[in-house]
Amino acid sequence: MEAIYRLRFKVYAKQRKLIREEDYPSGLESDEYDSHSIHFVALNFEDTVVATARMILTDEKPSPLLKSFPYITHQHNIAPGTITEISRFLICKKLSKHPHPNNRMTRYQQFPTLSCRAIIVYGLCREIFQESKRRGITHWGALMEKSLMGLLRIYGFRMKCVGEDIDLFGPVRPYLGSLEDSDVAELWFLKSLLE
């Protein structure tokens, strides 16, 4: 968890300047939702965390999305405990391009048209999708930048904007999506390429 918090601080404070470094003297970014979340990471060959995301379990604690837009579940007929908020979805700006230590061909080398970043995004999305299915989650919510939503659409995640922008580490929009609406066929097609 410390590695996750450290990466979040690095991205939000040092790279994107969304938070003030002096407000986080420990060099770690965490909040009250971390203990009510399932965390996902991508590791490089040195077992360093290079990307992360979390699912906030809204049946344990109302998420920032549900606090800011409390009407969403009623408006879209979403049963309690079947929506999760995806947040803190980020990737380290610098990704190592060192070859695999066993000199095996990596997935990135096998499929040069797929960037390392794309493989990481796909992997995180796949894990979130599978964990959602295991937990009986039917809907995802998220507060995110329009550009991130555009990226996630590439991987079959269909979410629609359901409100106005708010300021949370910069301007973000509320999005809502159903697992049934996501193009699972597209997700598994990409999975077959990578495995």
Side-chain angles (χ1 to χ4, degrees), residues 17 34 42 49 53 59 81 85 87 121 125-126 138 144 150 174 177 191:
K17 310 291 187 198
D34 286 319
V49 174
D59 55 338
E85 181 171 341
S87 70
V121 170
C125 289
R126 181 184 65 181
T138 60
M144 63 181 142
K191 177 177 183 288

Side-chain angles (χ1 to χ4, degrees), residues 2-3 14 35 40 42 45 52 62 65 89 107 132-133 151 178:
E2 184 175 321
K14 294 184 176 292
S35 60
F40 302 87
F45 293 126
T52 185
L65 173 71
F89 197 116
R107 290 176 178 180
S132 296
K133 282 293 204 183
L151 180 63
S178 166

Side-chain angles (χ1 to χ4, degrees), residues 10-139:
K10 179 180 177 183
V11 170
Y12 289 136
K14 294 184 176 292
Q15 293 177 3
R16 303 190 61 202
K17 310 291 187 198
L18 296 173
I19 59 177
R20 297 174 355 138
E21 289 187 47
E22 54 269 25
D23 292 340
Y24 298 83
S26 65
L28 307 174
E29 190 282 317
S30 64
D31 66 16
E32 61 187 290
Y33 300 100
D34 286 319
S35 60
H36 301 278
S37 300
I38 298 169
H39 298 267
F40 302 87
V41 298
L43 304 173
N44 65 14
F45 293 126
E46 292 81 35
D47 286 333
T48 301
V49 174
V50 295
T52 185
R54 71 179 179 187
M55 287 174 51
I56 301 174
L57 302 175
T58 60
D59 55 338
E60 294 183 8
K61 183 179 185 70
S63 68
L65 173 71
L66 297 183
K67 282 183 177 178
S68 300
F69 302 92
Y71 59 84
I72 285 178
T73 53
H74 299 294
Q75 196 174 53
H76 297 275
N77 298 318
I78 301 171
T82 63
I83 183 172
T84 188
E85 181 171 341
I86 311 301
S87 70
R88 297 302 196 268
F89 197 116
L90 54 89
I91 301 173
C92 183
K93 195 173 185 178
K94 268 190 173 177
L95 294 173
S96 172
K97 294 199 171 154
H98 298 305
H100 189 283
N102 296 334
N103 292 323
R104 289 187 2 228
M105 185 177 285
T106 66
R107 290 176 178 180
Y108 178 62
Q109 292 165 323
Q110 288 173 324
F111 303 100
T113 58
L114 297 174
S115 73
C116 184
R117 194 168 299 276
I119 291 170
I120 289 170
V121 170
Y122 167 74
L124 288 173
C125 289
R126 181 184 65 181
E127 294 304 314
I128 292 168
F129 182 85
Q130 291 174 341
E131 185 63 26
S132 296
K133 282 293 204 183
R134 278 194 290 271
R135 291 181 169 270
I137 300 294
T138 60
H139 289 81

Side-chain angles (χ1 to χ4, degrees), residues 162-182:
V162 292
E164 299 296 319
D165 287 12
I166 63 170
D167 185 27
L168 181 70
F169 286 179
V172 292
R173 297 177 176 183
Y175 289 90
L176 184 66
S178 166
L179 267 69
E180 290 181 1
D181 292 340
S182 289

